[in-house]
């Protein structure tokens, strides 16, 4: 089991508890660098859904007080090795990814009160509580 994929590569792996452990380590790094204004930090996406198959890239959803506050995080996250890509096609999102040939993490940063933030959390929670529906889409 590994974390990360070489750019422009798609490989699916069976669920691994290592994904959650990697999230926890990355969460601590992020909180240590820029955590004073983060309201929530959650593991989302397919690697957070038990029994799923997924690309071994960890998706992190960060809740902040408002969209404008997200610009304050750019320098600190870049210092951790992330690349800032703006909204990257999703209005109201600050999007970051690990800046190397092997992408290990995507960060989706939203206003905590936004529909986009809530949708990430609810999607994860629904599929973790309804594995029969997960089977229908895999």
């Amino acid at each position: 089991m590994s974390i990360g994929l070489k750019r422009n590569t798609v490989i699916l792996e069976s669920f691994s508890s290592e994904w959650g452990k990697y999230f926890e380590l990355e969460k601590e790094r992020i909180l240590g660098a820029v955590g004073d204004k983060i309201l929530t930090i959650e593991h989302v996406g397919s690697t957070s859904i038990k029994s799923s198959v997924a690309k071994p890239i960890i998706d992190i959803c960060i809740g902040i007080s408002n969209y404008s506050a997200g610009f304050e995080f750019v320098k600190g996250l870049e210092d951790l090795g992330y690349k800032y890509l703006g909204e990257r096609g999703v209005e109201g999102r600050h999007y970051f990814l690990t800046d190397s040939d092997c992408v290990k993490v995507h960060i989706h940063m939203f206003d905590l009160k936004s529909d986009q933030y809530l949708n990430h959390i609810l999607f994860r929670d629904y599929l973790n509580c309804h594995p029969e529906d997960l089977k229908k889409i895999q």
Side-chain angles (χ1 to χ4, degrees):
M1 196 286 307
S2 63
I3 302 289
L5 286 176
K6 188 172 180 159
R7 292 188 187 279
N8 301 315
T9 302
V10 176
I11 296 172
L12 298 177
E13 295 183 6
S14 297
F15 179 81
S16 171
S17 61
E18 295 299 313
W19 294 339
K21 293 174 187 173
Y22 191 88
F23 162 75
E24 291 297 331
L25 293 172
E26 197 62 17
K27 174 182 175 179
E28 291 307 312
R29 270 183 13 105
I30 292 167
L31 290 173
V34 297
D36 58 328
K37 294 183 182 175
I38 289 177
L39 301 177
T40 66
I41 183 165
E42 299 276 342
H43 185 190
V44 297
S46 55
T47 58
S48 70
I49 301 168
K50 296 170 186 66
S51 302
S52 70
V53 294
K55 294 181 291 181
I57 297 174
I58 307 303
D59 284 284
I60 295 176
C61 193
I62 295 177
I64 55 176
S65 61
N66 61 69
Y67 177 78
S68 295
F71 294 106
E72 298 174 30
F73 295 92
V74 173
K75 170 91 170 76
L77 289 171
E78 286 178 339
D79 289 347
L80 287 179
Y82 285 92
K83 182 176 183 179
Y84 179 59
L85 298 173
E87 290 182 320
R88 187 80 184 249
V90 177
E91 187 176 342
R93 172 178 72 171
H94 293 281
Y95 181 66
F96 302 81
L97 55 82
T98 45
D99 188 21
S100 69
D101 287 337
C102 181
V103 178
K104 294 182 178 185
V105 179
H106 295 155
I107 295 177
H108 311 269
M109 184 181 291
F110 297 105
D111 179 324
L112 183 64
K113 299 174 292 300
S114 70
D115 288 343
Q116 295 96 325
Y117 177 84
L118 187 60
N119 287 341
H120 277 77
I121 305 305
L122 292 176
F123 182 76
R124 175 202 64 199
D125 292 351
Y126 180 86
L127 288 178
N128 274 323
C129 290
H130 297 90
E132 68 281 1
D133 288 336
L134 177 63
K135 289 177 184 175
K136 291 177 187 176
I137 61 173
Q138 289 191 337

